[in-house]
């Protein structure tokens, strides 16, 4: 089996990165695989989605990206599952600035994961909504990238720009192999909204032009918000809700990658 490091990248906020991260993590864990989620977002979204209290900086990804990290991972188990979380912290914004001037700053996360490897089958990197140094680190550490797309013009055009950024940054970092983009994920789709229907209809041509897989839409539902208010994935909050099935094809692809020899 392979260890997969999946970075969820977007250059805009509110596109559903943490929703997708947590639901992939839970579903993969229910198939018997171990998952670690690393929160690289100073807004520490995973705290909310996983029902965690804020952690001290030295127990978060701030410590992981610091110079003096020696493999003393701080991982918190969640949901009575095989999922563990390394929490985020607002000081990640300062760490990002420090990484700019640090030698091998772009590779800090990749270096830590190589030197102090985690045993998990899947590592999910929940990234901030800017293409700064934290996302450069995520790209350098990733084996694969997943791009959530909100069905708005700015978000769709931004997703095409993000693909170009991934390619150019991978080349600058001389990543071999370049982490492939697993696919676009249309998120928060509401069929009642005409704009959503219109942009969803345009996405297949955009994805085909870019040579990227397009996953089925993930619907908008207040139940996602209700579940996150309890720090739970929808599967545990309302297991019979039809939106639980929206993640299946992504999860199938991730598990297929884990099973590759």
């Amino acid at each position: 089996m392979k260890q997969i490091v999946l970075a969820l990248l977007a250059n805009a906020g509110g596109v559903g990165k943490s929703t997708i991260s947590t639901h992939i993590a839970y579903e993969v864990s229910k198939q018997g695989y171990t998952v670690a989620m690393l929160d690289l977002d100073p807004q520490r979204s995973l705290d909310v989605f996983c029902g965690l209290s804020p952690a001290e900086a030295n127990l978060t990804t701030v410590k992981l990206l610091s110079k003096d990290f020696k493999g003393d991972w701080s991982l918190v188990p969640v949901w009575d599952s095989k999922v563990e979380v390394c929490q985020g912290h607002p000081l990640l914004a300062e760490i990002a600035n420090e990484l700019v001037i640090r030698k091998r700053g772009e590779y800090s996360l990749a270096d830590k994961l190589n030197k102090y490897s985690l045993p998990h089958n899947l590592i999910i990197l929940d990234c901030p909504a800017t293409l700064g140094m934290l996302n450069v680190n995520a790209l350098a550490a990733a084996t694969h990238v997943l791009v959530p797309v909100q069905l708005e013009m700015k978000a769709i055009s931004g997703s095409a720009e993000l693909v170009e950024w991934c390619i150019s940054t991978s080349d600058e970092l001389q990543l071999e192999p370049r982490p492939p983009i697993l696919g676009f994920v249309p998120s928060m789709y509401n069929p009642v909204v005409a704009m959503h229907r219109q942009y969803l209809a345009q996405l297949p041509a955009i994805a085909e032009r870019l040579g990227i897989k397009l996953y089925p839409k993930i619907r908008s539902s207040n139940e996602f918000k209700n579940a996150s208010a309890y720090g739970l994935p929808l599967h545990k909050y309302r297991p019979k809700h039809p939106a639980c099935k929206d993640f299946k094809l992504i999860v199938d692809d991730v598990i297929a990658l884990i099973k590759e020899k």
Side-chain angles (χ1 to χ4, degrees):
M1 288 196 296
K2 282 184 178 179
Q3 183 182 73
I4 301 303
V5 182
L6 181 64
L8 275 86
L9 293 177
N11 51 355
V15 299
K17 291 188 304 296
S18 297
T19 297
I20 295 169
S21 294
T22 50
H23 287 79
I24 291 174
Y26 182 75
E27 282 210 61
V28 169
S29 77
K30 295 312 289 181
Q31 298 292 325
Y33 299 95
T34 53
V35 183
M37 289 195 290
L38 310 186
D39 194 347
L40 300 178
D41 192 342
Q43 311 246 346
R44 50 187 176 197
S45 301
L46 290 185
D47 283 5
V48 174
F49 282 83
C50 298
L52 298 172
S53 300
E56 297 294 325
N58 65 346
L59 298 175
T60 70
T61 46
V62 169
K63 176 71 171 180
L64 167 61
L65 292 171
S66 68
K67 287 182 179 179
D68 59 351
F69 181 75
K70 295 290 186 279
D72 43 339
W73 290 91
S74 295
L75 295 170
V76 182
V78 293
W79 310 320
D80 298 321
S81 66
K82 295 186 175 184
V83 180
E84 294 181 295
V85 177
C86 187
Q87 294 175 251
H89 193 278
L91 285 179
L92 280 167
E94 292 182 22
I95 287 286
N97 293 332
E98 180 194 323
L99 291 173
V100 173
I101 58 173
R102 192 191 300 176
K103 286 184 180 179
R104 289 188 61 82
E106 299 92 340
Y107 308 95
S108 181
L109 178 58
D111 289 346
K112 303 293 172 49
L113 287 173
N114 286 331
K115 188 171 183 179
Y116 307 108
S117 59
L118 287 167
H120 302 72
N121 302 114
L122 173 64
I123 299 172
I124 295 177
L125 309 178
D126 194 33
C127 301
T130 58
L131 298 182
M133 186 56 81
L134 293 172
N135 279 2
V136 171
N137 265 263
L139 186 66
T143 61
H144 297 80
V145 174
L146 194 63
V147 180
V149 182
Q150 196 170 0
L151 294 165
E152 298 177 0
M153 177 52 75
K154 184 178 178 181
I156 289 177
S157 60
S159 298
E161 293 168 8
L162 177 60
V163 172
E164 296 302 320
W165 178 87
C166 287
I167 293 170
S168 61
T169 304
S170 295
D171 290 344
E172 288 171 15
L173 296 175
Q174 300 182 22
L175 301 182
E176 291 292 342
R178 179 192 298 159
I181 295 176
L182 200 59
F184 282 152
V185 186
S187 64
M188 296 185 288
Y189 174 72
N190 184 346
V192 175
V193 179
M195 183 177 66
H196 285 198
R197 299 195 304 270
Q198 177 186 341
Y199 289 144
L200 185 66
Q202 295 174 7
L203 265 181
I206 295 171
E208 184 177 2
R209 187 175 75 244
L210 295 169
I212 292 173
K213 181 171 183 173
L214 179 62
Y215 283 103
K217 60 189 177 293
I218 293 173
R219 73 196 75 190
S220 174
S221 172
N222 284 331
E223 292 293 39
F224 282 124
K225 295 178 183 177
N226 294 338
S228 68
Y230 288 92
L232 295 173
L234 188 59
H235 303 72
K236 281 186 77 72
Y237 179 72
R238 279 197 61 190
K240 295 187 184 297
H241 194 282
C244 292
K245 298 177 181 178
D246 290 356
F247 305 89
K248 183 179 186 305
L249 286 184
I250 306 172
V251 170
D252 287 348
D253 281 357
V254 169
I255 289 176
L257 289 170
I258 293 171
K259 288 180 175 179
E260 283 183 4
K261 295 181 179 179

